[in-house]
Amino acid sequence: MSVTEMFSSIQGFLSADQDVREDIRKVVQTLEQTGREILTVLQSVHQPSGFKESER
């Protein structure tokens, strides 16, 4: 295997790794957004006015 082929192989692995990292980043962003939405609902439940008034 030549040096050029080795670097091409390594570049392929790095590109694939970057694609996986990007997919993970997108999933984490979605989970963080869902977590923020859940936290908002939970905080409204624990307000003195309760959950019913916050729905209006």
Side-chain angles (χ1 to χ4, degrees), residues 31-43:
L31 290 172
E32 287 174 340
Q33 178 61 36
T34 302
R36 285 191 294 272
E37 292 170 4
I38 291 170
L39 182 60
T40 300
V41 171
L42 288 174
Q43 287 175 338

Side-chain angles (χ1 to χ4, degrees), residues 8-21:
S8 292
S9 176
I10 292 170
Q11 182 62 41
F13 285 119
L14 292 175
S15 294
D17 185 60
Q18 183 62 34
D19 291 342
V20 170
R21 288 174 186 261

Side-chain angles (χ1 to χ4, degrees), residues 4 10-12 14-15 17 22-23 25 28-29 31 46 51:
T4 304
I10 292 170
Q11 182 62 41
L14 292 175
S15 294
D17 185 60
E22 183 66 23
D23 290 343
R25 187 183 67 78
V28 168
Q29 284 180 334
L31 290 172
H46 293 286
F51 185 68

